[in-house]
Amino acid sequence: MNTGLIYCVLVTLCLIQLVEIINGTSCPCSDPGLCKPIQNTSRKEIFVFSLSNHSEIWSKYDWSKITTVVMTGYINLDLMCHAHKNGARAVIIANYPKANMTNSTARAIWVEKQLQLVKNNYLDGINIDFEDAILKNETDIRDAYVMLVLEVYSAFKRLSPVYQVTVDVAWSPAGVDGRYYDYVNIGLFVDFLFVMAYDEQSQIRGPCIAGANSPVYNAVKGIKAYHQLGILPDKLVLGVPWYGYMYTCLNLTNDDVCFIKHVPFRGVNCSDAAGSQINYSSMKIYLPHSPEGIKWNNVTETPYFNFKVYNSTYQVQFDNPASLKIKFQTIQNLGVRGFGMWNADAVNYMDNSTVGIKERTEMWGAFPSF
């Protein structure tokens, strides 16, 4: 046996592997096939946001449901491998500064940076989460935002037609929070829009009172409004909240109207900023203080409860598996691409009690199976 030849081959292979690592092309998965992007571009979606960069958390997601996981604030190659093994996409989330929106050079640099992040980490695409106000008279910024989305879409699809490009949008296109975007043209350059059907009390224009975070009638109204603009339902994914709001009631009436303090937001004097966000798993901390327990609003089709601690009265508005199922069943009839949530870590994966397991199972189980 020619030991010199064997040594030469081994050195060559090591050098090739070193170059691959330097160039970000060495697959970290046990099966190199898992580093290839997911190919299916037409399936229905269960689109989830993951905030926890810990395998003991995301490994316990219900991967039988998930089609896309958005790594929010981190990139984890183990999660990419795990997602691909379960047939799900793994994508990054990214925002772009409004101040640089009209700067075409800055946009090009940003787009290339996002593309390299996806390519070098064997990911499947990008979710653009831009939520700044664009006022009616800011036409240059509005047009530049469309150009940004177009530039992302063109660059990603040019590299791989199966890369996924999505954009987060408000629950309605009717200028929510001052977001007067060109939704029609944005909709041309995405695989779908993620419609954030939550934080719907961000601008309370009537009496300053606590309200549902995600009433079903707004979900219907918003999806229909996007459709009326000419955006096909198959390009819309409805996002729901796995969290609620706890409000301090300045006064709680006998019929459960909770008056809250005035906290302005984007030109409106009252908003849900008067409350604080609470993850679904945290509800049970406060519920024992509620003598009447969970109640149901038949108009919004959502649960709520009141409780008192010392001399303060509170109202918690939230969603649970029952309210989520109503939204899913109602909106599914409108022909949407699918559903998703903010965020997957709002339930406690470390609670292995009967209650904890039941809580996780029911929340994930509320999603339809596609």
Side-chain angles (χ1 to χ4, degrees), residues 271-315:
S271 71
D272 56 16
S276 55
Q277 290 188 10
I278 305 179
N279 285 342
Y280 181 72
S281 282
S282 299
M283 301 295 167
K284 57 180 174 285
I285 297 173
Y286 306 98
L287 195 52
H289 299 284
S290 176
E292 298 174 298
I294 295 175
K295 299 184 178 183
W296 186 262
N297 186 317
N298 290 319
V299 177
T300 62
E301 299 281 17
T302 56
Y304 69 97
F305 63 89
N306 308 313
F307 71 96
K308 199 168 187 175
V309 176
Y310 298 117
N311 294 320
S312 296
T313 302
Y314 302 89
Q315 185 172 91

Side-chain angles (χ1 to χ4, degrees), residues 133-278:
I134 297 180
L135 304 181
K136 288 182 178 180
N137 62 347
E138 294 180 311
T139 54
D140 56 337
I141 298 176
R142 182 178 304 111
D143 293 345
Y145 183 35
V146 174
M147 287 304 300
L148 174 70
V149 176
L150 169 59
E151 288 156 2
V152 170
Y153 189 80
S154 298
F156 275 67
K157 295 297 185 180
R158 185 165 53 246
L159 187 60
S160 174
V162 299
Y163 275 166
Q164 184 190 84
V165 177
T166 62
V167 170
D168 299 335
V169 295
W171 67 268
S172 166
V176 171
D177 301 339
R179 287 177 277 181
Y180 291 95
Y181 302 168
D182 184 351
Y183 293 102
V184 173
N185 282 311
I186 290 172
L188 295 175
F189 308 119
V190 295
D191 289 285
F192 53 84
L193 301 175
F194 182 81
V195 181
M196 299 180 289
Y198 40 79
D199 292 347
E200 294 176 14
Q201 299 297 308
S202 58
Q203 292 182 309
I204 303 173
R205 298 181 183 276
C208 199
I209 59 177
N213 187 25
S214 181
V216 68
Y217 55 74
N218 273 354
V220 173
K221 181 180 178 181
I223 293 296
K224 286 185 174 180
Y226 280 107
H227 191 197
Q228 287 166 1
L229 290 178
I231 300 172
L232 296 177
D234 190 53
K235 274 202 167 186
L236 301 172
V237 168
L238 183 80
V240 300
W242 272 20
Y243 66 95
Y245 279 86
M246 181 170 69
Y247 296 96
T248 302
C249 301
L250 302 179
N251 177 42
L252 181 66
T253 67
N254 290 332
D255 53 354
D256 289 338
V257 176
C258 171
F259 287 86
I260 59 179
K261 64 181 179 180
H262 288 69
V263 179
F265 182 69
R266 294 187 183 175
V268 176
N269 290 330
C270 187
S271 71
D272 56 16
S276 55
Q277 290 188 10
I278 305 179

Side-chain angles (χ1 to χ4, degrees), residues 2-129:
N2 190 330
T3 55
L5 178 61
I6 293 173
Y7 176 78
C8 180
V9 170
L10 289 174
V11 169
T12 302
L13 289 174
C14 288
L15 287 173
I16 291 172
Q17 187 175 30
L18 179 62
V19 170
E20 287 179 340
I21 292 172
I22 292 172
N23 292 334
T25 58
S26 180
C27 178
C29 305
S30 57
D31 176 2
L34 295 178
C35 282
K36 296 178 181 178
I38 300 297
Q39 300 294 307
N40 192 333
T41 60
S42 60
R43 63 185 175 178
K44 293 286 189 178
E45 282 283 340
I46 300 295
F47 191 89
V48 308
F49 291 83
S50 170
L51 277 60
S52 180
N53 186 14
H54 299 286
S55 61
E56 65 267 28
I57 302 297
W58 50 254
S59 63
K60 294 180 182 177
Y61 296 168
D62 187 346
W63 289 96
S64 70
K65 299 279 189 179
I66 300 171
T67 57
T68 300
V69 59
V70 186
M71 292 185 285
T72 308
Y74 71 93
I75 293 176
N76 188 312
L77 293 177
D78 289 336
L79 175 53
M80 176 276 296
C81 298
H82 190 78
H84 285 182
K85 185 177 180 180
N86 285 278
R89 285 185 169 84
V91 306
I92 58 170
I93 188 171
N95 192 3
Y96 186 84
K98 179 181 176 181
N100 293 341
M101 193 65 77
T102 58
N103 186 327
S104 59
T105 301
R107 290 200 311 266
I109 293 171
W110 183 86
V111 171
E112 181 60 25
K113 178 182 178 182
Q114 308 312 311
L115 187 61
Q116 289 304 315
L117 276 175
V118 167
K119 178 183 176 182
N120 292 342
N121 292 284
Y122 314 98
L123 303 177
D124 300 271
I126 185 172
N127 172 255
I128 301 173
D129 184 41

Side-chain angles (χ1 to χ4, degrees), residues 332-354:
Q332 194 166 356
N333 292 332
L334 299 179
V336 296
R337 178 72 161 265
F339 303 98
M341 107 287 270
W342 179 271
N343 64 75
D345 304 316
V347 295
N348 186 355
Y349 297 92
M350 305 308 291
D351 180 0
N352 291 317
S353 67
T354 302

